[in-house]
Amino acid sequence: MFKFLWRKLRLAHLRKKNPLPRMYRELSPDLEVNLTAIRRELGASPDLIIRRITVGSAPATTGALLYIDGLIDQQIVHRDIISPLLNGEKGRKGQDSKGLLEYLVRQVLSVGAVKKEPKFEPVVQALLEGKTVLFLDGQAEALLLATEGWEKRAINEPDAERIILGPHEGFTENIRINTALLRRKITNPGLHFEEMKLGRRTRTTVAIAYLKGIVNEKLVAEVRSRLKRVNIDLVLDANYLNEFISDAPFSIFPTVGFTERPDVTAAKLLEGRVAIFVDGTPVVSTVPVLLVESFQSPDDYNFPYYYATFIRWFRYISFVLAVLAPALFVALGSYHQELIPTPLLITIKSATEGTPFPLVVEMVMMGAVFEIIREAGVRLARPVGQTISIVGALVVGEAAVTAGLVGAPTIIVIAITAIATFVVPDLLGPGIILRLFFTILAGVFGAYGILIGLLFILLHLTSLRSFGVPYLSPLVPLSPGDLKDVLIRAPIWAMRTRPRLIGWSQPERQPFGFGSSGTEEGEEGEAEDGG
Amino acid sequence: MDQGRISAGQLTLLVMSFTIGSWIVLPTGLQSGQNIWLIILFGLGGGMFFACLGLLLYRRFPGKNLFEIHELVFGPVIGKFFSLLYLWFFLQTGGGTLGVFVTMLKSTVFTATPDLALLVPWVIIVIYGCRRGIEVIARSNQPLILATVGLILISILLVLNIFEADNLLPFLDKPFSRIAWDALGVAVFPFGQGVIFMMILPRVNRQQKVAGAVFGGLIGAGLVLMIIQSLAVGVLGKVAEVLVFPTYEFYRIIDIAQVLTRLELIPLLNFLTMGFIKIMLCLYALAFGTAQLFNLRTYRPLAIPIGVLLLVVARRIFPSVSEHMRYFEEVQPYYGLFFCLVLPLITLGTALLRGRARREMAP
């Protein structure tokens, strides 16, 4: 049914092609006409600054500089535009008005990027993007001067993806800084960016990044075409686009990956993926994404491989716990008591003696309480948030048990589950929903319900694809070579190939063996590989 | 129609799961006692023979599934009649598996649960999987069969302390007719039911590997069944002959240091997952075949009504375990032979005759 609904929605969405650009109006040679038109377009916004100037002495030409206050760097405008225009201009003699703009660009203005624009709408757009516009009387062209400069957040470590070792920088809200951060990681001419404006009204800059030579060109074309089809009036965050370009928009599993870390983005690009930058958000989307990626942390690669493998397995176990622990407890406690060893059963039974609700109700209730505490903790100011968690976790939990409303084992299970949920932050949403789903199934059908739920999730996951790549790969369908970064985190020198289904156009990451240094170790390594 | 493709390896695993299917907990031929492994071996031989027949037929019409072959060989009318017969066979196989499934659950864990409460959610996920197409069925089968084989291999370690090799002796103490009859039963069910794969063979992406994949799957399934049944007989001894679910019962005896006890969830899990794949394949073949029979554009909408039909059949087909057992003992060999030997032979024979006739007329 969802599929049907989705197809209808998608068709309706596809039918509306992007509207053709409006017929652009020409600029007038008359300065006053242009200024009036701009004022009419932008309304009486006080942040529009119109600075009238006179250029040259004989013949003197009147003109006007326009910019939006706050979007420009005052220093650049003063030092590099206004000051040379007013002062350095005296020496000019006998210039005809035709060559004036060309002369200004070549010899007077000392800003970096300058563009001539004969049309009206691009001028307004440039103004809104933080450029300074220079109109001269008698010229039907305007000069667009790059003077963008506004307050930015410093580069911080992203809160959602903290690591212990390794680079601590994260993306910011500025797309130019973000692309630069990526360039700092990958100093390679193959790193290409393609920019486009999305959002009919917000005109947000969106950039596709990929490594030419490694990425599959078809994937880039697919990303490009999916983005081009997006016809939405505002884009404020990467997720605005993700929901449009996702393969399975009704699935609870993310089929578009996201990260706030340049190092993660660089690693994904080097595996042959494509990254999508959106201006105004530190979140960068990467496609295609696999389920196993959610379990990989940058720390895995910054720590020795044996420890990373060990920790990764704990991440898998945590996720299974987070999803299944309450359900298993409910199933065992209310349907299959015979499967619990007797001493343990007696302990549990004595602890839940006299509680008024069935286990499943207790579990769902306490789960809900926990979600409320978590949500409140996220929304509130940080110091208050901690108070909330203490009050919530300690007081409510303790009081509920003492009052005999809820059994102590329930609180323990909820607490373990709650902590385990945060081990895999990428799957926080799916984890919470699945937990509720399984708990209710277990409450209704016991272990049989859990099995049904598992089979359903298995079918669902195997039917998912992210940009053509099966979501469960390399596990299903099995590609044994790629298990080196799934079941274990193989030593870096042993990860010789890119993921089979993603980066297969250029599979080799490093030469077999230990390189060409010709040391004894190197030869040993090669001998091992040969045998 | 479904355009999905599966690999030869996935076909092997599908054949394995389908064959292990419901037989893993409700084996036939138990009267032969400790000779069960030999019976499975003979049954495997018979199954391979049936598979040879099917593959020979498929080799004459590569890229065509069973129903298309029928129409090519017999013409549209008689061909459709043959296809209808097979539709019934698929329905009966799927319904039977679903029936065993309910019987098993009701007599072991869910003694007080009504049939429908067990059947309805199960049929819902089977329909869901069927509508996703053969690709999804084949892929979701991979982890399930791996888990099953893994659990069975682990079981070997678990029963080491209670396994008595003497229980597997004496060898061939039963009359040969008894063994032959039981072997025939095993050849027909589960191995012979693999005729359903005639509907799926054209979906394999590398056609030259089809035969190997089918035989590999049959042999793999035979080995798994032999291991599990030998374990059951080895642990239970003579008792195995009178129990309904010996493979389930022997896990109950396992007790390792009072920590690993009550492991009957293992066979239950194996049975449920393998049966799940088997029922899903049956439903897929049914829906796909019906759509083909009536020249429909897609089989997906059919999955729901046919799934409900499967549910009804499952409730009606086996009123009790004992009747079920009797059916397998006395009826199934004849009945199954008709579908995995007689009908394919007729089709193959007709195809050969017509082919020869055409060749003689051509020059």
Side-chain angles (χ1 to χ4, degrees):
Chain A
M1 191 195 74
F2 277 136
K3 203 157 186 190
F4 168 77
L5 201 66
W6 160 241
R7 209 175 293 140
K8 287 284 167 229
L9 282 175
R10 183 130 218 185
L11 278 180
H13 170 64
L14 287 182
R15 268 190 210 114
K16 279 189 217 127
K17 287 270 156 54
N18 275 333
L20 288 168
R22 285 175 291 170
M23 292 298 288
Y24 287 146
R25 282 175 282 163
E26 301 277 338
L27 285 175
S28 154
D30 189 340
L31 174 66
E32 292 310 318
V33 172
N34 286 338
L35 290 184
T36 319
I38 295 253
R39 274 202 209 96
R40 194 179 300 141
E41 192 80 6
L42 293 180
S45 312
D47 53 352
L48 171 67
I49 309 290
I50 301 179
R51 168 81 159 82
R52 285 169 185 281
I53 48 170
T54 308
V55 180
S57 46
T61 314
T62 54
L65 272 176
L66 288 84
Y67 56 85
I68 306 269
D69 202 14
L71 290 187
I72 51 105
D73 188 332
Q74 292 278 359
Q75 213 193 343
I76 296 179
V77 172
H78 288 170
R79 189 189 60 208
D80 299 338
I81 302 175
I82 301 187
S83 161
L85 275 178
L86 297 183
N87 304 326
E89 201 29 37
K90 302 290 184 222
R92 185 185 62 89
K93 289 240 165 56
Q95 271 285 358
D96 58 335
S97 65
K98 227 168 176 195
L100 182 57
L101 277 182
E102 188 64 22
Y103 170 73
L104 288 180
V105 170
R106 291 195 177 241
Q107 298 194 16
V108 180
L109 298 169
S110 47
V111 274
V114 179
K115 197 182 159 202
K116 278 193 223 163
E117 182 58 62
K119 309 273 191 197
F120 179 71
E121 275 75 14
V123 168
V124 175
Q125 188 61 41
L127 206 51
L128 294 174
E129 282 167 16
K131 294 199 166 56
T132 298
V133 176
L134 174 64
F135 283 119
L136 285 178
D137 198 22
Q139 302 282 349
E141 281 183 321
L143 278 188
L144 309 182
L145 310 160
T147 55
E148 294 96 334
W150 50 80
E151 291 305 316
K152 300 168 190 121
R153 189 166 62 96
I155 295 172
N156 290 327
E157 170 148 40
D159 272 338
E161 293 172 82
R162 287 188 173 278
I163 59 166
I164 303 171
L165 268 181
H168 290 288
E169 58 187 6
F171 286 126
T172 68
E173 279 76 8
N174 186 316
I175 191 168
R176 207 33 76 225
I177 293 179
N178 291 352
T179 53
L181 282 174
L182 191 60
R183 279 236 191 259
R184 293 278 307 114
K185 299 274 177 207
I186 308 175
T187 319
N188 185 317
L191 177 59
H192 286 198
F193 290 101
E194 282 177 26
E195 276 196 3
M196 56 178 84
K197 299 271 185 201
L198 288 181
R200 277 197 319 280
R201 290 190 194 282
T202 56
R203 308 280 300 148
T204 310
T205 309
V206 173
I208 308 173
Y210 54 90
L211 261 178
K212 205 164 180 70
I214 287 176
V215 76
N216 184 347
E217 292 293 336
K218 276 189 203 146
L219 173 64
V220 182
E222 179 66 26
V223 173
R224 207 181 287 137
S225 85
R226 285 196 199 183
L227 282 175
K228 287 248 165 71
R229 276 188 238 149
V230 175
N231 188 1
I232 182 183
D233 62 347
L234 84 167
V235 179
L236 297 181
D237 182 72
N239 195 45
Y240 281 66
L241 299 178
N242 290 357
E243 295 202 359
F244 270 96
I245 64 175
S246 157
D247 289 60
F250 292 112
S251 174
I252 56 168
F253 291 94
T255 42
V256 178
F258 46 86
T259 180
E260 287 188 42
R261 307 186 59 90
D263 48 338
V264 173
T265 314
K268 304 243 185 231
L269 289 192
L270 276 159
E271 284 181 344
R273 291 185 170 83
V274 172
I276 303 166
F277 289 75
V278 176
D279 196 14
T281 174
V283 181
V284 169
S285 315
T286 56
V287 289
V289 72
L290 309 177
L291 183 68
V292 291
E293 278 175 60
S294 307
F295 296 95
Q296 297 167 345
S297 153
D299 261 345
D300 287 356
Y301 307 93
N302 305 338
F303 279 98
Y305 67 92
Y306 47 86
Y307 177 68
T309 304
F310 184 67
I311 288 300
R312 183 170 288 172
W313 271 97
F314 271 97
R315 238 174 264 138
Y316 294 136
I317 294 168
S318 302
F319 186 67
V320 172
L321 262 185
V323 170
L324 285 181
L328 282 174
F329 183 70
V330 167
L332 288 176
S334 40
Y335 288 91
H336 316 288
Q337 286 101 342
E338 75 274 11
L339 294 179
I340 310 176
T342 317
L344 181 60
L345 182 66
I346 292 169
T347 318
I348 293 176
K349 278 290 157 192
S350 62
T352 50
E353 188 69 55
T355 52
F357 303 110
L359 263 184
V360 56
V361 175
E362 273 184 20
M363 204 52 95
V364 171
M365 242 168 44
M366 289 319 288
V369 168
F370 167 71
E371 289 310 321
I372 293 169
I373 294 171
R374 190 185 61 83
E375 188 63 15
V378 174
R379 301 287 157 231
L380 281 172
R382 218 155 274 171
V384 191
Q386 281 174 4
T387 323
I388 288 287
S389 39
I390 292 168
V391 169
L394 296 182
V395 180
V396 174
E398 185 62 35
V401 174
T402 327
L405 283 174
V406 180
T410 308
I411 300 285
I412 296 171
V413 170
I414 284 287
I416 293 172
T417 313
I419 296 164
T421 313
F422 293 109
V423 175
V424 187
D426 282 12
L427 293 177
L428 187 66
I432 291 169
I433 292 170
L434 285 180
R435 183 197 309 153
L436 187 64
F437 172 70
F438 277 112
T439 311
I440 292 175
L441 272 180
V444 179
F445 293 110
Y448 180 62
I450 297 179
L451 180 68
I452 286 185
L454 284 176
L455 288 177
F456 177 75
I457 297 297
L458 177 69
L459 284 173
H460 176 66
L461 282 175
T462 46
S463 68
L464 280 186
R465 279 168 180 275
S466 170
F467 283 78
V469 180
Y471 194 53
L472 274 188
S473 74
L475 295 168
V476 181
L478 192 71
S479 27
D482 288 350
L483 296 181
K484 63 185 183 297
D485 202 13
V486 175
L487 295 185
I488 53 167
R489 202 282 273 163
I492 306 270
W493 45 260
M495 293 206 230
R496 296 194 174 108
T497 52
R498 293 175 217 290
R500 204 173 106 74
L501 292 170
I502 299 167
W504 207 235
S505 56
Q506 187 58 257
E508 194 176 279
R509 264 177 197 276
Q510 53 204 341
F512 280 55
F514 283 91
S516 54
S517 57
T519 58
E520 276 178 20
E521 286 166 25
E523 278 156 14
E524 253 173 48
E526 270 165 11
E528 260 171 42
D529 296 324
Chain B
M1 286 302 224
D2 189 12
Q3 293 299 322
R5 296 259 161 224
I6 60 175
S7 70
Q10 283 173 332
L11 179 67
T12 307
L13 296 181
L14 274 179
V15 173
M16 264 182 91
S17 307
F18 183 85
T19 312
I20 294 173
S22 50
W23 204 82
I24 188 167
V25 287
L26 192 67
T28 53
L30 285 176
Q31 285 75 12
S32 298
Q34 70 278 16
N35 298 311
I36 186 95
W37 60 272
L38 192 68
I39 286 177
I40 295 176
L41 202 63
F42 287 155
L44 176 63
M48 304 262 277
F49 173 68
F50 299 144
C52 276
L53 264 182
L55 286 168
L56 268 178
L57 193 57
Y58 184 67
R59 247 181 78 181
R60 282 194 73 81
F61 303 96
K64 304 279 179 213
N65 67 27
L66 187 60
F67 287 13
E68 286 165 332
I69 293 175
H70 281 155
E71 298 214 6
L72 283 174
V73 174
F74 298 112
V77 179
I78 306 175
K80 283 209 162 110
F81 173 71
F82 271 70
S83 301
L84 260 178
L85 284 180
Y86 270 102
L87 275 185
W88 163 251
F89 181 63
F90 299 158
L91 185 66
Q92 190 260 345
T93 308
T97 312
L98 206 54
V100 175
F101 164 89
V102 174
T103 316
M104 164 89 192
L105 282 180
K106 287 213 33 148
S107 53
T108 52
V109 189
F110 298 93
T111 41
T113 316
D115 285 6
L116 275 183
L118 295 173
L119 277 170
V120 170
W122 198 256
V123 169
I124 288 175
I125 50 166
V126 167
I127 291 174
Y128 175 82
C130 172
R131 285 167 58 91
R132 294 274 143 152
I134 189 71
E135 235 177 75
V136 168
I137 299 175
R139 281 201 210 136
S140 46
N141 176 44
Q142 282 178 332
L144 296 181
I145 181 77
L146 278 179
T148 301
V149 173
L151 282 174
I152 288 175
L153 291 182
I154 291 174
S155 313
I156 298 180
L157 296 179
L158 291 177
V159 299
L160 277 179
N161 60 343
I162 48 175
F163 183 83
E164 286 179 35
D166 287 350
N167 281 341
L168 289 175
L169 295 172
F171 182 56
L172 276 179
D173 60 332
K174 299 268 164 45
F176 187 73
S177 59
R178 169 86 251 165
I179 287 177
W181 178 253
D182 283 341
L184 179 64
V186 174
V188 166
F189 166 70
F191 294 105
Q193 287 181 339
V195 71
I196 203 167
F197 282 96
M198 294 287 288
M199 298 299 289
I200 292 159
L201 291 186
R203 322 302 290 286
V204 177
N205 55 10
R206 296 174 73 182
Q207 286 290 325
Q208 69 272 24
K209 288 190 173 174
V210 159
V214 171
F215 288 133
L218 287 176
I219 292 172
L223 279 178
V224 169
L225 293 177
M226 250 150 77
I227 291 175
I228 191 86
Q229 294 300 342
S230 307
L231 287 186
V233 173
V235 170
L236 295 169
K238 281 278 170 204
V239 187
E241 289 175 44
V242 294
L243 288 171
V244 182
F245 306 117
T247 37
Y248 174 80
E249 299 294 338
F250 88 83
Y251 277 95
R252 302 174 68 123
I253 306 177
I254 294 176
D255 181 355
I256 293 175
Q258 295 200 323
V259 179
L260 289 173
T261 54
R262 317 262 342 186
L263 291 173
E264 63 260 36
L265 275 184
I266 293 180
L268 213 55
L269 205 66
N270 289 348
F271 165 61
L272 289 182
T273 51
M274 294 298 95
F276 172 65
I277 296 294
K278 184 166 182 178
I279 299 168
M280 205 152 62
L281 274 172
C282 286
L283 180 57
Y284 179 79
L286 265 172
F288 196 86
T290 313
Q292 208 165 40
L293 209 59
F294 296 106
N295 288 324
L296 302 185
R297 214 157 24 90
T298 168
Y299 74 95
R300 286 197 171 83
L302 289 178
I304 298 171
I306 295 180
V308 175
L309 190 64
L310 214 55
L311 193 153
V312 176
V313 171
R315 292 200 69 195
R316 295 275 158 216
I317 204 163
F318 298 125
S320 73
V321 188
S322 50
E323 276 177 79
H324 200 155
M325 301 296 283
R326 216 179 125 212
Y327 163 77
F328 279 125
E329 175 60 25
E330 293 172 10
V331 187
Q332 168 79 21
Y334 298 116
Y335 177 79
L337 266 187
F338 179 63
F339 285 101
C340 47
L341 186 68
V342 178
L343 283 184
L345 264 181
I346 294 176
T347 315
L348 193 60
T350 318
L352 285 171
L353 285 176
R354 292 192 68 169
R356 187 165 299 158
R358 201 174 301 142
R359 216 173 300 143
E360 279 165 9
M361 271 158 68

